[in-house]
C-alpha cells in the first residue's frame, strides 16, 4: 500500500494546511522551553530539531504514519537479517559489521543459518594484522623499502566512504604516510594521484565489491602498468597490490594473490560498506584501535536506533523531519552543512547514501508512487558556504531543509577560530529560523526602497547536530545515524532502499558507446540524432 493512501498521510496533509502559515517565531514565543523539548541525545550526539516547523501534534501524526507504514517491523527485519533488499533477495546487514565480538546467543547475527559475527571479526583481525605491518614499516615493497603511500582505487561506495573517513579522521592518521584515492575513469585522477609517488613505496588497495566495475578495473590495470614500468617484473608488482572484494575469483584472475585479499559479503551494500574491509585504507591510516573505536560509535547508534522509543530516537526523529519537510512542506533539496573542515567530503558521501538508497519511483512491489522520495542532497562546510550559496537559503524562492553539524571542541587549536566557527553555525540556524521582518528593518532606519531587499522571511527549518569533538567514535555514530534515518524514510515510502537498478542503463549504454569510440573505422551509429552527432564530432575532433 502507498503511504499516501493511508489515513495518517491525509491527516498530516490536513494538519499541514492548518499550520502552513505559522512561523517559527510564533512557536518559540509560545513555548520558552521549545529548544530543549524538541531535542534528543544518544551515542555522543545531540540533535536539536526545535527549529523545524512542527508542533507536538505534527510529531504525533508523523509517528502514527511511521507506525502504520510498519517502520518498527521493518527495522526488526533489518536487524534479524531478513532479505530486506527484496529486488536482489539479500539481507542488508551492515549492523553486523560493527557488532561486538560476542558469543552470547543474543549477540549472534544469522544469515542463511550461519552466525556472521565471528566472520566479521576474523576479517577485522586480518585487516588489523596487515595494517599494523604497513604502519610499522614492515610491509616492504619490491626494492626492500617500506611502503609509505597507500592508493585506494575504487568508486561509489568503494571510494566515497574511504575518502570521507580518511579526511574526517586525518587528525588521527599516520602523518608519515600518504593516502590517495582514485575513483574516476578520467585518466587525470590516476595520473595526478601518483605523479609524485615512488612506485616501490606505494601500495594499491583495489577496492570493489563486485570486482567487475569498469572504472575500477581500468584504474587497477593502469596502476599495474605504472608499477611494472617502474619495478620491472610481475613478481615484484605483487607486493604492491591488495584487493578488497566479495569476488575472490575475479581478484585472482586479475593477478592479486588470494592471501592479499580482504573479503566481505553480499549482505553489505556498497554504500553501507565503509566499516567493512572497504575501510582497509582507513584502518591503515588511523590504526586498528581507532578503527574499532569508530565501529563502537556505529554500534552505539545501532543500539540506540534498535532500542530507544521512536520519539527519543535520533534516526527516527531525523527521518520524520525529513519526511515532513520533503512530503508535506515541499522541500526539494536538503543541505548538509558541517561546520568542520575535516568533514569536507561528508556531503559527497551522503549523496550516495541518500540518493542511491532512496532515489526510487516504485514501491517494493513495483507499484508507481505519487509522492516524492529522496531529496537532492548537497552541501559544503561552513563557513565557506555562507560566502557562496547561503544567500539563496536566506532570501531565495526555494525551500531547502538544512542539517547543521558541529563540534564543541576543535582538533585544531588556533586562536579563537573555533568560537568564531561555531558562532557562525549558531547564527545561521537562528537567522534562517527567525529572519528579520520588514518592520525591524525599517526601524533600523533603512531607506524605504531597500526595506524589501533587506528583509529576511525566516521560517527556514533546520536540524542542528552537536557532538563534543570529532573522534572515530563520533564519526561512526554520525554515519550510523544517517544510515538508519535513510532506512526509516525508505520504510515510510515503502521502497527498496538497498538496490540501485537506476545505475544500470547508463553503464550498458556506455559499454556500447565505448566500442563505437574505440574502432579506427567509422562505426555505423544507430543512436538518436543527438547522440550520433555528438559521437561523430568527438571522433572527428579527437582525430585532429
Ligand atoms: O554503480 C553503482 C555501484 O554499484 C554502487 O552501488 C557501488 O558502490 C559502486 O558501483 C561500486 O561498486 P563495486 O564496489 O562493486 O566496484
Amino acid at each position: 500500500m502507498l503511504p499516501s493512501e493511508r489515513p495518517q498521510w491525509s491527516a498530516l496533509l490536513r494538519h499541514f494546511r492548518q499550520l502552513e502559515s505559522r512561523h517559527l517565531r510564533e512557536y518559540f514565543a509560545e513555548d520558552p522551553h521549545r529548544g530543549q523539548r524538541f531535542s534528543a541525545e544518544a551515542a555522543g550526539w545531540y540533535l536539536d530539531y526545535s527549529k523545524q516547523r512542527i508542533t507536538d501534534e505534527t510529531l504525533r501524526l508523523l509517528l502514527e504514519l511511521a507506525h502504520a507504514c510498519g517502520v518498527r517491523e521493518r527495522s526488526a527485519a533489518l536487524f534479524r537479517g531478513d532479505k530486506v533488499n527484496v529486488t536482489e533477495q539479500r539481507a542488508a546487514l551492515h549492523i553486523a559489521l560493527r557488532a561486538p565480538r560476542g558469543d552470547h546467543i543474543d549477540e549472534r547475527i544469522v544469515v542463511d543459518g550461519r552466525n556472521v559475527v565471528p566472520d566479521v571479526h576474523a576479517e577485522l583481525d586480518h585487516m588489523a594484522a596487515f595494517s599494523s605491518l604497513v604502519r610499522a614499516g614492515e610491509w616492504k615493497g619490491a626494492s626492500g623499502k617500506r611502503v609509505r603511500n597507500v592508493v585506494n582505487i575504487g568508486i561509489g561506495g568503494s571510494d566515497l566512504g574511504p575518502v570521507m573517513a580518511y579526511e574526517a579522521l586525518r587528525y588521527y592518521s599516520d602523518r608519515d604516510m600518504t593516502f590517495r584515492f582514485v575513483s574516476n575513469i578520467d585518466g587525470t585522477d590516476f595520473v595526478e594521484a601518483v605523479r609524485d609517488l615512488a612506485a616501490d613505496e606505494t601500495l594499491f588497495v583495489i577496492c570493489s565489491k563486485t570486482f567487475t566495475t569498469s572504472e575500477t578495473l581500468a584504474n587497477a590495470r593502469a596502476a599495474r602498468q605504472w608499477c611494472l614500468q617502474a619495478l620491472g617484473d610481475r613478481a615484484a608488482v605483487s607486493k604492491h597490490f591488495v584487493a578488497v572484494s566479495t569476488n575472490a575469483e575475479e581478484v585472482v584472475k586479475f593477478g592479486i594473490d588470494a592471501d592479499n585479499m580482504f573479503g566481505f559479503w553480499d549482505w553489505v551494500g556498497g554504500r553501507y560498506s565503509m566499516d567493512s574491509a572497504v575501510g582497509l585504507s582507513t584502518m591503515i591510516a588511523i590504526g586498528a584501535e581507532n578503527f574499532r573505536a569508530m565501529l563502537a560509535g556505529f554500534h552505539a547508534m545501532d543500539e540506540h536506533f534498535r532500542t530507544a522509543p521512536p520519539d527519543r530516537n535520533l534516526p527516527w526523529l531525523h527521518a520524520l523531519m525529513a519526511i515532513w519537510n520533503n512530503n508535506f512542506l515541499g522541500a526539494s533539496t536538503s543541505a548538509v552543512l558541517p561546520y568542520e573542515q575535516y568533514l569536507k567530503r561528508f556531503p559527497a558521501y551522503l549523496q550516495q547514501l541518500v540518493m542511491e538508497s532512496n532515489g526510487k519511483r516504485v514501491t517494493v512491489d513495483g507499484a508507481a508512487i505519487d509522492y516524492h522520495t529522496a531529496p537532492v542532497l548537497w552541501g559544503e562546510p561552513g563557513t565557506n558556504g555562507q560566502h557562496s550559496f547561503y544567500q539563496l537559503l536566506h532570501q531565495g524562492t526555494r525551500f531547502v531543509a538544512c542539517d547543521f553539524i558541529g563540534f564543541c571542541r576543535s582538533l585544531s587549536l588556533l586562536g579563537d577560530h573555533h568560537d568564531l566557527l561555531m558562532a557562525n553555525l549558531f547564527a545561521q540556524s537562528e537567522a534562517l529560523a527567525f529572519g528579520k521582518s520588514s518592520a525591524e528593518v525599517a526601524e533600523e532606519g533603512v531607506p524605504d526602497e531597500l526595506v524589501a531587499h533587506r528583509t529576511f522571511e525566516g521560517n527556514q527549518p533546520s536540524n542542528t547536530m552537536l557532538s563534543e569533538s570529532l573522534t572515530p567514535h563520533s564519526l561512526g555514530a554520525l554515519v550510523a545515524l544517517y544510515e538508519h534515518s535513510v532506512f526509516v524514510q525508505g520504510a515510510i515510502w515503502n521502497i527498496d532502499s538497498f538496490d540501485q537498478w537506476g545505475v544500470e542503463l547508463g553503464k550498458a549504454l556506455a559499454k556500447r558507446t565505448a566500442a563505437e569510440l574505440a574502432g579506427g573505422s567509422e562505426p555505423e551509429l544507430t543512436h538518436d540524432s543527438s547522440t550520433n552527432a555528438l559521437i561523430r564530432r568527438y571522433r572527428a575532433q579527437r582525430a585532429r
Side-chain angles (χ1 to χ4, degrees):
M1 184 179 186
L2 300 181
S4 54
E5 290 165 355
R6 295 185 185 276
Q8 293 81 1
W9 187 280
S10 314
L12 273 159
L13 278 177
R14 284 195 300 277
H15 174 70
F16 163 68
R17 279 181 214 116
Q18 278 162 9
L19 49 74
E20 195 173 358
S21 59
R22 300 213 59 202
H23 200 287
L24 279 165
R25 277 186 219 130
E26 298 166 42
Y27 292 144
F28 275 88
E30 281 162 15
D31 175 6
H33 303 294
R34 182 180 170 92
Q36 293 82 45
R37 257 182 357 93
F38 287 127
S39 71
E41 206 166 341
W45 281 96
Y46 175 78
L47 167 66
D48 174 354
Y49 58 100
S50 63
K51 294 192 184 88
Q52 295 287 347
R53 283 161 55 180
I54 58 160
T55 62
D56 291 300
E57 179 68 355
T58 321
L59 192 54
R60 191 184 67 73
L61 292 170
L62 285 165
L63 284 165
E64 276 185 9
L65 174 69
H67 292 318
C69 293
V71 172
R72 267 207 178 107
E73 294 74 11
R74 282 191 190 222
S75 137
L78 175 89
F79 278 85
R80 243 188 347 252
D82 288 5
K83 298 198 159 106
V84 290
N85 179 355
V86 288
T87 69
E88 294 180 305
Q89 274 301 295
R90 284 181 189 160
L93 261 182
H94 36 286
I95 52 114
L97 298 171
R98 52 266 190 157
R101 196 193 289 270
D103 306 320
H104 296 300
I105 189 84
D106 56 346
E107 286 167 332
R108 291 159 53 94
I109 301 175
V110 178
V111 181
D112 295 329
R114 182 182 172 87
N115 177 17
V116 297
V117 179
D119 298 346
V120 166
H121 283 276
E123 204 51 59
L124 281 171
D125 291 344
H126 182 199
M127 290 163 66
F130 178 73
S131 304
S132 304
L133 282 180
V134 177
R135 285 168 63 82
E138 286 165 21
W139 185 271
K140 309 276 192 232
S143 67
K145 282 195 192 157
R146 74 163 287 193
V147 155
R148 57 173 70 253
N149 313 315
V150 174
V151 181
N152 187 80
I153 295 184
I155 197 164
S158 298
D159 167 72
L160 290 163
V163 70
M164 181 279 285
Y166 169 68
E167 291 296 347
L169 301 176
R170 191 185 261 251
Y171 175 84
Y172 303 89
S173 70
D174 183 337
R175 302 300 182 128
D176 290 333
M177 297 186 71
T178 297
F179 292 84
R180 301 269 162 84
F181 298 83
V182 174
S183 55
N184 205 337
I185 190 63
D186 183 338
T188 302
D189 206 10
F190 180 80
V191 168
E192 286 294 335
V194 298
R195 171 160 240 114
D196 56 348
L197 302 185
D200 63 344
E201 294 178 312
T202 301
L203 175 75
F204 289 97
V205 178
I206 314 299
C207 197
S208 172
K209 179 177 171 181
T210 54
F211 227 79
T212 57
T213 303
S214 68
E215 292 94 330
T216 300
L217 290 184
N219 280 322
R221 284 191 290 271
R224 188 170 56 193
Q225 193 51 35
W226 181 77
C227 274
L228 260 177
Q229 248 164 23
L231 305 175
D233 72 293
R234 267 184 184 276
V237 168
S238 73
K239 294 191 177 124
H240 295 268
F241 280 80
V242 296
V244 175
S245 187
T246 57
N247 190 344
E249 205 180 315
E250 286 300 322
V251 167
V252 171
K253 230 194 254 172
F254 180 83
I256 295 178
D257 200 335
D259 290 343
N260 292 339
M261 172 178 159
F262 299 83
F264 60 115
W265 306 271
D266 75 350
W267 42 261
V268 182
R271 53 194 177 272
Y272 297 87
S273 67
M274 61 168 276
D275 44 347
S276 71
V278 167
L280 183 65
S281 57
T282 316
M283 196 192 266
I284 298 174
I286 64 172
E289 207 176 305
N290 278 322
F291 194 86
R292 287 188 198 278
M294 182 180 80
L295 297 184
F298 271 100
H299 181 66
M301 189 59 77
D302 293 345
E303 281 304 282
H304 166 74
F305 174 57
R306 192 174 67 81
T307 59
D311 62 348
R312 310 293 311 149
N313 191 308
L314 270 62
W316 272 73
L317 290 165
H318 186 269
L320 295 180
M321 295 309 111
I323 296 280
W324 177 239
N325 287 327
N326 195 18
N327 296 111
F328 298 95
L329 266 57
S332 56
T333 79
S334 170
V336 175
L337 309 165
Y339 278 63
E340 170 55 73
Q341 190 62 20
Y342 283 126
L343 288 184
K344 66 181 181 191
R345 294 303 303 266
F346 195 59
Y349 170 77
L350 284 186
Q351 282 180 329
Q352 188 197 17
L353 181 67
V354 168
M355 296 199 271
E356 200 173 76
S357 296
N358 283 345
K360 310 286 164 66
R361 60 190 307 132
V362 294
T363 65
V364 279
D365 311 308
I369 61 184
D370 59 1
Y371 43 87
H372 282 300
T373 54
V376 173
L377 186 141
W378 54 286
E380 272 290 316
T383 59
N384 291 0
Q386 291 175 207
H387 300 274
S388 125
F389 55 78
Y390 277 43
Q391 164 66 37
L392 177 148
L393 301 182
H394 288 291
Q395 290 188 317
T397 54
R398 305 273 175 190
F399 169 39
V400 180
C402 298
D403 275 359
F404 290 95
I405 300 172
F407 297 90
C408 299
R409 286 208 314 261
S410 175
L411 295 171
S412 309
L413 295 177
L414 187 67
D416 57 358
H417 274 55
H418 196 62
D419 286 347
L420 290 174
L421 175 74
M422 295 304 285
N424 273 279
L425 185 164
F426 301 137
Q428 288 300 326
S429 68
E430 189 178 359
L432 285 170
F434 299 101
K436 196 182 206 182
S437 67
S438 40
E440 286 170 310
V441 176
E443 248 172 54
E444 287 174 356
V446 170
D448 283 355
E449 67 277 16
L450 283 184
V451 167
H453 294 280
R454 300 192 49 178
T455 297
F456 293 73
E457 283 302 314
N459 219 14
Q460 297 286 338
S462 65
N463 291 313
T464 299
M465 285 174 265
L466 269 189
S467 187
E468 199 174 302
S469 64
L470 177 55
T471 61
H473 190 282
S474 61
L475 179 73
L478 180 67
V479 173
L481 193 168
Y482 275 98
E483 284 178 349
H484 297 314
S485 170
V486 163
F487 173 77
V488 172
Q489 293 172 57
I492 292 175
W493 289 323
N494 194 18
I495 56 180
D496 187 335
S497 299
F498 299 107
D499 63 12
Q500 57 283 319
W501 298 106
V503 301
E504 295 304 328
L505 176 61
K507 280 186 194 173
L509 289 178
K511 207 167 176 186
R512 169 182 159 201
T513 308
E516 292 162 345
L517 298 187
S521 57
E522 200 64 42
E524 193 194 329
L525 296 175
T526 54
H527 302 268
D528 58 276
S529 58
S530 156
T531 312
N532 286 346
L534 290 168
I535 292 174
R536 282 197 197 100
R537 174 171 279 261
Y538 171 77
R539 285 181 58 102
Q541 295 204 350
R542 182 185 61 179
R544 253 188 243 153

